[in-house]
Amino acid sequence: MTSEQELLAEQVLNAHRQSAPDGSLRAHRAWHDLDPDARRETAEAAERLRKLEAALSPEGHSSTVSAVLARLRSSRGTP
Amino acid sequence: MVDEAQLLAALRAGDLTAFGQWAARAEPSLRAALRPFAAAVDVEAVVQEALLRVWQVAPRFTPDGRPNALLRFACVTARNAAVSELRRSGPSAATLDDVERALASEPTGRPWEPDPFLRAAIAECREQLPKQPGLALTARLTSAGADDDATLANRLGMKLNTFLQNFTRARKLLQACLEKKGVRLDEELAP
């Protein structure tokens, strides 16, 4: 990966995703600028990173699981 | 480990804690099921979408009597979400070949559990990170997907590129530290 692609990939590794108007989740803006090989490598890196995050979390939650739970709590209006 | 009947009863009762525990074990299988789509869809968005759909459907879900029914259902849901996303983007012939191969194989749906040795090793390696990479890692972990990187960088008083470089450094240093401790990440972290 080029250094520019590495910086894009690093942003894609963040679990933050915006919602589309229909409520579905949008692909990360930076993901669109990655070439196909970089997209595959980033998905592999995300598999490792999420397990590291889960292992570091007292609840065993990766940032993906935490983001989903936050959306569900927000839709219920609970903290 | 929670029995699936107990889990489904908890989900019917709207128990988010039980759902979080299940989702933590399910996530690696979902990501594995989506590998063939990785060049064509943003796997992170699809995994989150699939988990949200499972939560919505779980109260009405009927297990098929085989092990890990909800997890297998989640993998199929994730693949269906990926196919829907692909249709919107107009896939290439090569992508369609990958997808056909993926859909021909049944997802394994094996729950993942981190072992205590791995947890301890990662925590030790995290403590050894230099300050700036450690701050970038902590910012991402604390935010847990709530903020984009521009927001996190701003919070730390870093430029976006500096923040991203520090996060890359943190990931690489963690990996190198774990390898020194004899942890072979690709084996330990395999789904």
Side-chain angles (χ1 to χ4, degrees), chain A residues 10 14-17 25 28 31 39 47 50-51 55 57 62 64 72 76, chain B residues 14 27 31 35 39 42 44 48-49 119 140 145 147 149 167-168 171 189-190:
Chain A
E10 209 60 80
N14 188 329
H16 178 72
R17 293 295 181 275
L25 295 181
H28 197 291
W31 180 85
R39 289 175 179 179
E47 288 190 38
R50 295 294 179 261
K51 286 181 176 176
S57 155
S62 70
T64 298
L72 293 173
R76 281 177 163 187
Chain B
E27 182 187 349
R31 289 186 180 277
R35 275 180 204 149
D42 177 3
E44 179 65 40
Q48 292 190 30
E49 192 77 51
R119 275 182 185 278
R140 275 266 188 96
D147 305 293
D149 287 323
F167 191 79
T168 305
R171 277 198 306 118
L189 301 181

PDB file of all heavy atoms in Angstrom, chain A residues 10 14-17 25 28 31 39 47 50-51 55 57 62 64 72 76, chain B residues 14 27 31 35 39 42 44 48-49 119 140 145 147 149 167-168 171 189-190:
ATOM      1  N   GLU A  10      -6.339   3.562   7.367  1.00  0.00           N
ATOM      2  CA  GLU A  10      -6.405   3.776   8.816  1.00  0.00           C
ATOM      3  C   GLU A  10      -7.729   4.429   9.215  1.00  0.00           C
ATOM      4  O   GLU A  10      -8.300   4.114  10.266  1.00  0.00           O
ATOM      5  CB  GLU A  10      -5.219   4.646   9.247  1.00  0.00           C
ATOM      6  CG  GLU A  10      -4.751   4.406  10.649  1.00  0.00           C
ATOM      7  CD  GLU A  10      -4.286   2.983  10.895  1.00  0.00           C
ATOM      8  OE1 GLU A  10      -3.151   2.627  10.541  1.00  0.00           O
ATOM      9  OE2 GLU A  10      -5.086   2.226  11.463  1.00  0.00           O
ATOM     10  N   ASN A  14     -11.533   2.851  11.592  1.00  0.00           N
ATOM     11  CA  ASN A  14     -12.401   3.413  12.642  1.00  0.00           C
ATOM     12  C   ASN A  14     -13.811   2.841  12.449  1.00  0.00           C
ATOM     13  O   ASN A  14     -14.301   2.745  11.314  1.00  0.00           O
ATOM     14  CB  ASN A  14     -12.419   4.947  12.498  1.00  0.00           C
ATOM     15  CG  ASN A  14     -13.129   5.631  13.655  1.00  0.00           C
ATOM     16  OD1 ASN A  14     -14.055   5.085  14.241  1.00  0.00           O
ATOM     17  ND2 ASN A  14     -12.698   6.835  13.978  1.00  0.00           N
ATOM     18  N   ALA A  15     -14.469   2.459  13.508  1.00  0.00           N
ATOM     19  CA  ALA A  15     -15.820   1.860  13.406  1.00  0.00           C
ATOM     20  C   ALA A  15     -16.903   2.909  13.176  1.00  0.00           C
ATOM     21  O   ALA A  15     -18.066   2.560  12.986  1.00  0.00           O
ATOM     22  CB  ALA A  15     -16.130   1.068  14.671  1.00  0.00           C
ATOM     23  N   HIS A  16     -16.522   4.184  13.191  1.00  0.00           N
ATOM     24  CA  HIS A  16     -17.531   5.239  13.001  1.00  0.00           C
ATOM     25  C   HIS A  16     -18.096   5.191  11.579  1.00  0.00           C
ATOM     26  O   HIS A  16     -17.338   5.235  10.614  1.00  0.00           O
ATOM     27  CB  HIS A  16     -16.891   6.606  13.249  1.00  0.00           C
ATOM     28  CG  HIS A  16     -17.828   7.754  13.034  1.00  0.00           C
ATOM     29  ND1 HIS A  16     -18.844   8.028  13.909  1.00  0.00           N
ATOM     30  CD2 HIS A  16     -17.919   8.671  12.040  1.00  0.00           C
ATOM     31  CE1 HIS A  16     -19.509   9.086  13.473  1.00  0.00           C
ATOM     32  NE2 HIS A  16     -18.975   9.483  12.344  1.00  0.00           N
ATOM     33  N   ARG A  17     -19.398   5.056  11.454  1.00  0.00           N
ATOM     34  CA  ARG A  17     -20.070   5.097  10.150  1.00  0.00           C
ATOM     35  C   ARG A  17     -21.283   6.003  10.262  1.00  0.00           C
ATOM     36  O   ARG A  17     -22.016   5.946  11.258  1.00  0.00           O
ATOM     37  CB  ARG A  17     -20.525   3.699   9.701  1.00  0.00           C
ATOM     38  CG  ARG A  17     -19.406   2.733   9.388  1.00  0.00           C
ATOM     39  CD  ARG A  17     -18.587   3.171   8.179  1.00  0.00           C
ATOM     40  NE  ARG A  17     -17.517   2.250   7.823  1.00  0.00           N
ATOM     41  CZ  ARG A  17     -16.292   2.247   8.367  1.00  0.00           C
ATOM     42  NH1 ARG A  17     -15.985   3.106   9.338  1.00  0.00           N
ATOM     43  NH2 ARG A  17     -15.377   1.389   7.965  1.00  0.00           N
ATOM     44  N   LEU A  25     -26.460   2.153   6.945  1.00  0.00           N
ATOM     45  CA  LEU A  25     -25.147   2.719   7.259  1.00  0.00           C
ATOM     46  C   LEU A  25     -24.359   2.947   5.980  1.00  0.00           C
ATOM     47  O   LEU A  25     -24.326   2.076   5.115  1.00  0.00           O
ATOM     48  CB  LEU A  25     -24.381   1.790   8.200  1.00  0.00           C
ATOM     49  CG  LEU A  25     -25.006   1.611   9.580  1.00  0.00           C
ATOM     50  CD1 LEU A  25     -24.152   0.680  10.429  1.00  0.00           C
ATOM     51  CD2 LEU A  25     -25.163   2.949  10.277  1.00  0.00           C
ATOM     52  N   HIS A  28     -17.625   4.166   4.660  1.00  0.00           N
ATOM     53  CA  HIS A  28     -16.755   5.293   5.037  1.00  0.00           C
ATOM     54  C   HIS A  28     -16.298   6.014   3.768  1.00  0.00           C
ATOM     55  O   HIS A  28     -15.987   5.360   2.767  1.00  0.00           O
ATOM     56  CB  HIS A  28     -15.546   4.749   5.808  1.00  0.00           C
ATOM     57  CG  HIS A  28     -14.810   5.800   6.574  1.00  0.00           C
ATOM     58  ND1 HIS A  28     -14.072   6.789   5.958  1.00  0.00           N
ATOM     59  CD2 HIS A  28     -14.702   6.032   7.903  1.00  0.00           C
ATOM     60  CE1 HIS A  28     -13.532   7.563   6.883  1.00  0.00           C
ATOM     61  NE2 HIS A  28     -13.902   7.133   8.070  1.00  0.00           N
ATOM     62  N   TRP A  31     -13.140   4.779   2.292  1.00  0.00           N
ATOM     63  CA  TRP A  31     -13.179   3.436   1.691  1.00  0.00           C
ATOM     64  C   TRP A  31     -13.302   3.530   0.165  1.00  0.00           C
ATOM     65  O   TRP A  31     -12.691   2.744  -0.562  1.00  0.00           O
ATOM     66  CB  TRP A  31     -14.358   2.633   2.289  1.00  0.00           C
ATOM     67  CG  TRP A  31     -14.461   1.256   1.727  1.00  0.00           C
ATOM     68  CD1 TRP A  31     -13.807   0.140   2.141  1.00  0.00           C
ATOM     69  CD2 TRP A  31     -15.258   0.859   0.600  1.00  0.00           C
ATOM     70  NE1 TRP A  31     -14.148  -0.925   1.361  1.00  0.00           N
ATOM     71  CE2 TRP A  31     -15.037  -0.510   0.411  1.00  0.00           C
ATOM     72  CE3 TRP A  31     -16.137   1.525  -0.259  1.00  0.00           C
ATOM     73  CZ2 TRP A  31     -15.659  -1.248  -0.604  1.00  0.00           C
ATOM     74  CZ3 TRP A  31     -16.759   0.806  -1.272  1.00  0.00           C
ATOM     75  CH2 TRP A  31     -16.524  -0.564  -1.438  1.00  0.00           C
ATOM     76  N   ARG A  39      -8.556  -2.449  -0.097  1.00  0.00           N
ATOM     77  CA  ARG A  39      -9.819  -2.747   0.609  1.00  0.00           C
ATOM     78  C   ARG A  39      -9.739  -4.124   1.279  1.00  0.00           C
ATOM     79  O   ARG A  39     -10.161  -4.288   2.422  1.00  0.00           O
ATOM     80  CB  ARG A  39     -10.983  -2.722  -0.381  1.00  0.00           C
ATOM     81  CG  ARG A  39     -11.326  -1.331  -0.862  1.00  0.00           C
ATOM     82  CD  ARG A  39     -12.394  -1.390  -1.931  1.00  0.00           C
ATOM     83  NE  ARG A  39     -12.742  -0.060  -2.393  1.00  0.00           N
ATOM     84  CZ  ARG A  39     -13.635   0.178  -3.344  1.00  0.00           C
ATOM     85  NH1 ARG A  39     -14.266  -0.831  -3.935  1.00  0.00           N
ATOM     86  NH2 ARG A  39     -13.914   1.409  -3.707  1.00  0.00           N
ATOM     87  N   GLU A  47     -10.141  -7.297  10.974  1.00  0.00           N
ATOM     88  CA  GLU A  47     -10.409  -8.546  11.723  1.00  0.00           C
ATOM     89  C   GLU A  47      -9.465  -8.653  12.914  1.00  0.00           C
ATOM     90  O   GLU A  47      -9.874  -9.001  14.024  1.00  0.00           O
ATOM     91  CB  GLU A  47     -10.230  -9.767  10.812  1.00  0.00           C
ATOM     92  CG  GLU A  47     -11.338  -9.906   9.783  1.00  0.00           C
ATOM     93  CD  GLU A  47     -11.289 -11.240   9.049  1.00  0.00           C
ATOM     94  OE1 GLU A  47     -10.974 -12.259   9.685  1.00  0.00           O
ATOM     95  OE2 GLU A  47     -11.572 -11.252   7.841  1.00  0.00           O
ATOM     96  N   ARG A  50     -10.167  -5.617  15.570  1.00  0.00           N
ATOM     97  CA  ARG A  50     -11.374  -5.763  16.389  1.00  0.00           C
ATOM     98  C   ARG A  50     -11.179  -6.808  17.491  1.00  0.00           C
ATOM     99  O   ARG A  50     -11.726  -6.673  18.588  1.00  0.00           O
ATOM    100  CB  ARG A  50     -12.573  -6.135  15.526  1.00  0.00           C
ATOM    101  CG  ARG A  50     -12.973  -5.060  14.530  1.00  0.00           C
ATOM    102  CD  ARG A  50     -13.499  -3.803  15.230  1.00  0.00           C
ATOM    103  NE  ARG A  50     -13.855  -2.784  14.259  1.00  0.00           N
ATOM    104  CZ  ARG A  50     -13.065  -1.748  13.935  1.00  0.00           C
ATOM    105  NH1 ARG A  50     -11.903  -1.573  14.549  1.00  0.00           N
ATOM    106  NH2 ARG A  50     -13.438  -0.880  13.031  1.00  0.00           N
ATOM    107  N   LYS A  51     -10.402  -7.840  17.183  1.00  0.00           N
ATOM    108  CA  LYS A  51     -10.147  -8.840  18.231  1.00  0.00           C
ATOM    109  C   LYS A  51      -9.214  -8.274  19.304  1.00  0.00           C
ATOM    110  O   LYS A  51      -9.374  -8.579  20.489  1.00  0.00           O
ATOM    111  CB  LYS A  51      -9.585 -10.117  17.621  1.00  0.00           C
ATOM    112  CG  LYS A  51     -10.659 -10.911  16.891  1.00  0.00           C
ATOM    113  CD  LYS A  51     -10.117 -12.189  16.317  1.00  0.00           C
ATOM    114  CE  LYS A  51     -11.229 -13.013  15.689  1.00  0.00           C
ATOM    115  NZ  LYS A  51     -10.704 -14.214  15.035  1.00  0.00           N
ATOM    116  N   ALA A  55     -10.268  -7.861  23.176  1.00  0.00           N
ATOM    117  CA  ALA A  55      -9.432  -8.393  24.252  1.00  0.00           C
ATOM    118  C   ALA A  55      -9.060  -7.295  25.258  1.00  0.00           C
ATOM    119  O   ALA A  55      -8.792  -7.583  26.421  1.00  0.00           O
ATOM    120  CB  ALA A  55      -8.182  -9.031  23.672  1.00  0.00           C
ATOM    121  N   SER A  57     -11.109  -4.791  26.030  1.00  0.00           N
ATOM    122  CA  SER A  57     -12.327  -4.259  26.646  1.00  0.00           C
ATOM    123  C   SER A  57     -12.784  -5.138  27.809  1.00  0.00           C
ATOM    124  O   SER A  57     -12.846  -6.360  27.665  1.00  0.00           O
ATOM    125  CB  SER A  57     -13.431  -4.204  25.580  1.00  0.00           C
ATOM    126  OG  SER A  57     -14.703  -4.254  26.156  1.00  0.00           O
ATOM    127  N   SER A  62     -15.649  -5.162  20.884  1.00  0.00           N
ATOM    128  CA  SER A  62     -14.842  -4.400  19.929  1.00  0.00           C
ATOM    129  C   SER A  62     -15.523  -3.049  19.713  1.00  0.00           C
ATOM    130  O   SER A  62     -16.673  -2.840  20.161  1.00  0.00           O
ATOM    131  CB  SER A  62     -14.778  -5.145  18.596  1.00  0.00           C
ATOM    132  OG  SER A  62     -16.050  -5.090  17.986  1.00  0.00           O
ATOM    133  N   THR A  64     -16.715  -2.095  16.987  1.00  0.00           N
ATOM    134  CA  THR A  64     -17.892  -2.383  16.142  1.00  0.00           C
ATOM    135  C   THR A  64     -19.099  -2.705  17.019  1.00  0.00           C
ATOM    136  O   THR A  64     -20.184  -2.137  16.837  1.00  0.00           O
ATOM    137  CB  THR A  64     -17.588  -3.590  15.219  1.00  0.00           C
ATOM    138  OG1 THR A  64     -16.506  -3.241  14.366  1.00  0.00           O
ATOM    139  CG2 THR A  64     -18.797  -3.991  14.400  1.00  0.00           C
ATOM    140  N   LEU A  72     -28.309   1.261  19.213  1.00  0.00           N
ATOM    141  CA  LEU A  72     -29.541   0.663  19.755  1.00  0.00           C
ATOM    142  C   LEU A  72     -29.992   1.421  21.007  1.00  0.00           C
ATOM    143  O   LEU A  72     -31.187   1.684  21.177  1.00  0.00           O
ATOM    144  CB  LEU A  72     -29.320  -0.822  20.066  1.00  0.00           C
ATOM    145  CG  LEU A  72     -29.085  -1.707  18.834  1.00  0.00           C
ATOM    146  CD1 LEU A  72     -28.703  -3.125  19.238  1.00  0.00           C
ATOM    147  CD2 LEU A  72     -30.340  -1.745  17.958  1.00  0.00           C
ATOM    148  N   ARG A  76     -33.445   3.737  21.571  1.00  0.00           N
ATOM    149  CA  ARG A  76     -34.354   3.515  22.709  1.00  0.00           C
ATOM    150  C   ARG A  76     -34.458   4.730  23.617  1.00  0.00           C
ATOM    151  O   ARG A  76     -35.288   4.781  24.505  1.00  0.00           O
ATOM    152  CB  ARG A  76     -33.813   2.400  23.609  1.00  0.00           C
ATOM    153  CG  ARG A  76     -34.039   1.018  23.149  1.00  0.00           C
ATOM    154  CD  ARG A  76     -33.349   0.138  24.186  1.00  0.00           C
ATOM    155  NE  ARG A  76     -33.812  -1.221  24.088  1.00  0.00           N
ATOM    156  CZ  ARG A  76     -33.483  -2.159  24.951  1.00  0.00           C
ATOM    157  NH1 ARG A  76     -32.702  -1.869  25.977  1.00  0.00           N
ATOM    158  NH2 ARG A  76     -33.925  -3.380  24.803  1.00  0.00           N
TER     159      ARG A  76
ATOM    160  N   GLY B  14     -35.589  -7.949  25.253  1.00  0.00           N
ATOM    161  CA  GLY B  14     -34.926  -6.672  24.965  1.00  0.00           C
ATOM    162  C   GLY B  14     -33.644  -6.464  25.751  1.00  0.00           C
ATOM    163  O   GLY B  14     -33.272  -5.323  26.033  1.00  0.00           O
ATOM    164  N   GLU B  27     -19.055 -11.530  15.949  1.00  0.00           N
ATOM    165  CA  GLU B  27     -18.438 -10.599  14.987  1.00  0.00           C
ATOM    166  C   GLU B  27     -17.355 -11.250  14.113  1.00  0.00           C
ATOM    167  O   GLU B  27     -17.373 -11.050  12.888  1.00  0.00           O
ATOM    168  CB  GLU B  27     -17.872  -9.379  15.728  1.00  0.00           C
ATOM    169  CG  GLU B  27     -17.277  -8.371  14.768  1.00  0.00           C
ATOM    170  CD  GLU B  27     -16.555  -7.222  15.479  1.00  0.00           C
ATOM    171  OE1 GLU B  27     -16.688  -7.084  16.708  1.00  0.00           O
ATOM    172  OE2 GLU B  27     -15.852  -6.485  14.779  1.00  0.00           O
ATOM    173  N   ARG B  31     -17.353 -11.301   9.954  1.00  0.00           N
ATOM    174  CA  ARG B  31     -16.265 -10.751   9.123  1.00  0.00           C
ATOM    175  C   ARG B  31     -15.703 -11.836   8.194  1.00  0.00           C
ATOM    176  O   ARG B  31     -15.395 -11.564   7.029  1.00  0.00           O
ATOM    177  CB  ARG B  31     -15.165 -10.158  10.001  1.00  0.00           C
ATOM    178  CG  ARG B  31     -15.598  -8.885  10.685  1.00  0.00           C
ATOM    179  CD  ARG B  31     -14.476  -8.206  11.449  1.00  0.00           C
ATOM    180  NE  ARG B  31     -14.972  -6.997  12.076  1.00  0.00           N
ATOM    181  CZ  ARG B  31     -15.101  -5.821  11.473  1.00  0.00           C
ATOM    182  NH1 ARG B  31     -14.723  -5.689  10.218  1.00  0.00           N
ATOM    183  NH2 ARG B  31     -15.582  -4.778  12.104  1.00  0.00           N
ATOM    184  N   ARG B  35     -15.525 -11.954   3.837  1.00  0.00           N
ATOM    185  CA  ARG B  35     -14.219 -11.793   3.179  1.00  0.00           C
ATOM    186  C   ARG B  35     -14.317 -11.726   1.646  1.00  0.00           C
ATOM    187  O   ARG B  35     -13.659 -10.897   1.023  1.00  0.00           O
ATOM    188  CB  ARG B  35     -13.277 -12.936   3.580  1.00  0.00           C
ATOM    189  CG  ARG B  35     -12.562 -12.659   4.875  1.00  0.00           C
ATOM    190  CD  ARG B  35     -11.643 -13.812   5.229  1.00  0.00           C
ATOM    191  NE  ARG B  35     -11.410 -13.822   6.666  1.00  0.00           N
ATOM    192  CZ  ARG B  35     -11.194 -14.908   7.383  1.00  0.00           C
ATOM    193  NH1 ARG B  35     -11.188 -16.103   6.805  1.00  0.00           N
ATOM    194  NH2 ARG B  35     -10.998 -14.820   8.681  1.00  0.00           N
ATOM    195  N   ALA B  39     -13.493  -6.470  -1.355  1.00  0.00           N
ATOM    196  CA  ALA B  39     -13.060  -5.485  -2.358  1.00  0.00           C
ATOM    197  C   ALA B  39     -14.236  -4.665  -2.880  1.00  0.00           C
ATOM    198  O   ALA B  39     -14.035  -3.644  -3.523  1.00  0.00           O
ATOM    199  CB  ALA B  39     -12.371  -6.195  -3.521  1.00  0.00           C
ATOM    200  N   ASP B  42     -17.912  -2.027   1.937  1.00  0.00           N
ATOM    201  CA  ASP B  42     -17.237  -1.638   3.178  1.00  0.00           C
ATOM    202  C   ASP B  42     -17.707  -2.616   4.262  1.00  0.00           C
ATOM    203  O   ASP B  42     -18.825  -2.522   4.774  1.00  0.00           O
ATOM    204  CB  ASP B  42     -17.616  -0.195   3.530  1.00  0.00           C
ATOM    205  CG  ASP B  42     -17.000   0.273   4.853  1.00  0.00           C
ATOM    206  OD1 ASP B  42     -16.237  -0.501   5.470  1.00  0.00           O
ATOM    207  OD2 ASP B  42     -17.287   1.409   5.260  1.00  0.00           O
ATOM    208  N   GLU B  44     -17.052  -3.077   7.332  1.00  0.00           N
ATOM    209  CA  GLU B  44     -17.435  -2.529   8.643  1.00  0.00           C
ATOM    210  C   GLU B  44     -18.908  -2.106   8.649  1.00  0.00           C
ATOM    211  O   GLU B  44     -19.659  -2.441   9.575  1.00  0.00           O
ATOM    212  CB  GLU B  44     -16.545  -1.323   8.974  1.00  0.00           C
ATOM    213  CG  GLU B  44     -16.860  -0.657  10.312  1.00  0.00           C
ATOM    214  CD  GLU B  44     -16.594  -1.567  11.494  1.00  0.00           C
ATOM    215  OE1 GLU B  44     -15.579  -2.284  11.477  1.00  0.00           O
ATOM    216  OE2 GLU B  44     -17.415  -1.564  12.436  1.00  0.00           O
ATOM    217  N   GLN B  48     -22.009  -3.964  10.870  1.00  0.00           N
ATOM    218  CA  GLN B  48     -22.885  -3.227  11.805  1.00  0.00           C
ATOM    219  C   GLN B  48     -24.350  -3.313  11.367  1.00  0.00           C
ATOM    220  O   GLN B  48     -25.244  -3.507  12.185  1.00  0.00           O
ATOM    221  CB  GLN B  48     -22.440  -1.768  11.901  1.00  0.00           C
ATOM    222  CG  GLN B  48     -21.084  -1.623  12.587  1.00  0.00           C
ATOM    223  CD  GLN B  48     -20.747  -0.174  12.905  1.00  0.00           C
ATOM    224  OE1 GLN B  48     -21.613   0.654  13.143  1.00  0.00           O
ATOM    225  NE2 GLN B  48     -19.462   0.138  12.928  1.00  0.00           N
ATOM    226  N   GLU B  49     -24.565  -3.192  10.064  1.00  0.00           N
ATOM    227  CA  GLU B  49     -25.929  -3.294   9.522  1.00  0.00           C
ATOM    228  C   GLU B  49     -26.526  -4.666   9.857  1.00  0.00           C
ATOM    229  O   GLU B  49     -27.683  -4.773  10.292  1.00  0.00           O
ATOM    230  CB  GLU B  49     -25.832  -3.115   7.999  1.00  0.00           C
ATOM    231  CG  GLU B  49     -27.129  -2.907   7.296  1.00  0.00           C
ATOM    232  CD  GLU B  49     -27.664  -1.494   7.458  1.00  0.00           C
ATOM    233  OE1 GLU B  49     -26.921  -0.548   7.200  1.00  0.00           O
ATOM    234  OE2 GLU B  49     -28.825  -1.375   7.868  1.00  0.00           O
ATOM    235  N   ARG B 119      -5.456 -11.829  26.331  1.00  0.00           N
ATOM    236  CA  ARG B 119      -5.898 -10.574  26.974  1.00  0.00           C
ATOM    237  C   ARG B 119      -4.754  -9.946  27.772  1.00  0.00           C
ATOM    238  O   ARG B 119      -4.493  -8.750  27.673  1.00  0.00           O
ATOM    239  CB  ARG B 119      -7.050 -10.867  27.954  1.00  0.00           C
ATOM    240  CG  ARG B 119      -8.404 -10.908  27.332  1.00  0.00           C
ATOM    241  CD  ARG B 119      -9.445 -11.161  28.429  1.00  0.00           C
ATOM    242  NE  ARG B 119     -10.772 -11.316  27.875  1.00  0.00           N
ATOM    243  CZ  ARG B 119     -11.555 -10.295  27.539  1.00  0.00           C
ATOM    244  NH1 ARG B 119     -11.146  -9.067  27.707  1.00  0.00           N
ATOM    245  NH2 ARG B 119     -12.744 -10.518  27.027  1.00  0.00           N
ATOM    246  N   ARG B 140      -9.322   6.087  20.149  1.00  0.00           N
ATOM    247  CA  ARG B 140     -10.196   5.223  19.330  1.00  0.00           C
ATOM    248  C   ARG B 140     -10.991   4.253  20.214  1.00  0.00           C
ATOM    249  O   ARG B 140     -12.177   4.037  20.002  1.00  0.00           O
ATOM    250  CB  ARG B 140      -9.352   4.405  18.357  1.00  0.00           C
ATOM    251  CG  ARG B 140      -9.025   5.116  17.064  1.00  0.00           C
ATOM    252  CD  ARG B 140     -10.042   4.776  15.976  1.00  0.00           C
ATOM    253  NE  ARG B 140      -9.627   5.312  14.702  1.00  0.00           N
ATOM    254  CZ  ARG B 140      -8.970   4.588  13.788  1.00  0.00           C
ATOM    255  NH1 ARG B 140      -8.673   3.334  14.022  1.00  0.00           N
ATOM    256  NH2 ARG B 140      -8.632   5.140  12.648  1.00  0.00           N
ATOM    257  N   GLY B 145     -16.225   4.025  18.069  1.00  0.00           N
ATOM    258  CA  GLY B 145     -17.013   4.232  16.855  1.00  0.00           C
ATOM    259  C   GLY B 145     -17.964   5.409  16.903  1.00  0.00           C
ATOM    260  O   GLY B 145     -18.685   5.666  15.948  1.00  0.00           O
ATOM    261  N   ASP B 147     -17.105   8.620  17.117  1.00  0.00           N
ATOM    262  CA  ASP B 147     -16.559   9.831  16.484  1.00  0.00           C
ATOM    263  C   ASP B 147     -15.671   9.468  15.304  1.00  0.00           C
ATOM    264  O   ASP B 147     -14.998   8.433  15.320  1.00  0.00           O
ATOM    265  CB  ASP B 147     -15.692  10.610  17.492  1.00  0.00           C
ATOM    266  CG  ASP B 147     -16.457  10.940  18.753  1.00  0.00           C
ATOM    267  OD1 ASP B 147     -17.396  11.734  18.681  1.00  0.00           O
ATOM    268  OD2 ASP B 147     -16.106  10.372  19.820  1.00  0.00           O
ATOM    269  N   ASP B 149     -12.304  10.276  12.805  1.00  0.00           N
ATOM    270  CA  ASP B 149     -10.922  10.533  13.217  1.00  0.00           C
ATOM    271  C   ASP B 149     -10.595  12.015  13.288  1.00  0.00           C
ATOM    272  O   ASP B 149      -9.731  12.420  14.066  1.00  0.00           O
ATOM    273  CB  ASP B 149      -9.960   9.806  12.274  1.00  0.00           C
ATOM    274  CG  ASP B 149      -9.975   8.316  12.523  1.00  0.00           C
ATOM    275  OD1 ASP B 149     -10.090   7.912  13.693  1.00  0.00           O
ATOM    276  OD2 ASP B 149      -9.885   7.548  11.553  1.00  0.00           O
ATOM    277  N   PHE B 167      -1.800   6.238  15.183  1.00  0.00           N
ATOM    278  CA  PHE B 167      -2.611   5.022  15.347  1.00  0.00           C
ATOM    279  C   PHE B 167      -1.968   3.842  14.610  1.00  0.00           C
ATOM    280  O   PHE B 167      -1.913   2.731  15.137  1.00  0.00           O
ATOM    281  CB  PHE B 167      -4.047   5.252  14.858  1.00  0.00           C
ATOM    282  CG  PHE B 167      -4.949   4.125  15.243  1.00  0.00           C
ATOM    283  CD1 PHE B 167      -5.446   4.032  16.527  1.00  0.00           C
ATOM    284  CD2 PHE B 167      -5.246   3.116  14.337  1.00  0.00           C
ATOM    285  CE1 PHE B 167      -6.238   2.953  16.909  1.00  0.00           C
ATOM    286  CE2 PHE B 167      -6.038   2.046  14.715  1.00  0.00           C
ATOM    287  CZ  PHE B 167      -6.539   1.965  16.000  1.00  0.00           C
ATOM    288  N   THR B 168      -1.455   4.119  13.399  1.00  0.00           N
ATOM    289  CA  THR B 168      -0.748   3.060  12.650  1.00  0.00           C
ATOM    290  C   THR B 168       0.427   2.541  13.476  1.00  0.00           C
ATOM    291  O   THR B 168       0.649   1.334  13.575  1.00  0.00           O
ATOM    292  CB  THR B 168      -0.195   3.616  11.314  1.00  0.00           C
ATOM    293  OG1 THR B 168      -1.264   4.192  10.585  1.00  0.00           O
ATOM    294  CG2 THR B 168       0.467   2.531  10.487  1.00  0.00           C
ATOM    295  N   ARG B 171      -0.723   0.285  16.303  1.00  0.00           N
ATOM    296  CA  ARG B 171      -1.094  -1.064  15.842  1.00  0.00           C
ATOM    297  C   ARG B 171       0.144  -1.898  15.571  1.00  0.00           C
ATOM    298  O   ARG B 171       0.231  -3.057  15.952  1.00  0.00           O
ATOM    299  CB  ARG B 171      -1.915  -0.974  14.550  1.00  0.00           C
ATOM    300  CG  ARG B 171      -3.383  -0.711  14.766  1.00  0.00           C
ATOM    301  CD  ARG B 171      -4.195  -1.069  13.531  1.00  0.00           C
ATOM    302  NE  ARG B 171      -3.755  -0.431  12.303  1.00  0.00           N
ATOM    303  CZ  ARG B 171      -3.310  -1.079  11.230  1.00  0.00           C
ATOM    304  NH1 ARG B 171      -3.239  -2.395  11.229  1.00  0.00           N
ATOM    305  NH2 ARG B 171      -2.950  -0.423  10.150  1.00  0.00           N
ATOM    306  N   LEU B 189      -5.789 -14.967  16.385  1.00  0.00           N
ATOM    307  CA  LEU B 189      -6.956 -14.161  16.067  1.00  0.00           C
ATOM    308  C   LEU B 189      -7.770 -14.744  14.919  1.00  0.00           C
ATOM    309  O   LEU B 189      -8.703 -14.112  14.439  1.00  0.00           O
ATOM    310  CB  LEU B 189      -6.536 -12.721  15.732  1.00  0.00           C
ATOM    311  CG  LEU B 189      -5.778 -11.997  16.842  1.00  0.00           C
ATOM    312  CD1 LEU B 189      -5.441 -10.584  16.429  1.00  0.00           C
ATOM    313  CD2 LEU B 189      -6.568 -11.975  18.141  1.00  0.00           C
ATOM    314  N   ALA B 190      -7.424 -15.953  14.482  1.00  0.00           N
ATOM    315  CA  ALA B 190      -8.205 -16.564  13.396  1.00  0.00           C
ATOM    316  C   ALA B 190      -9.621 -16.843  13.893  1.00  0.00           C
ATOM    317  O   ALA B 190      -9.799 -17.215  15.049  1.00  0.00           O
ATOM    318  CB  ALA B 190      -7.549 -17.864  12.955  1.00  0.00           C
TER     319      ALA B 190
END
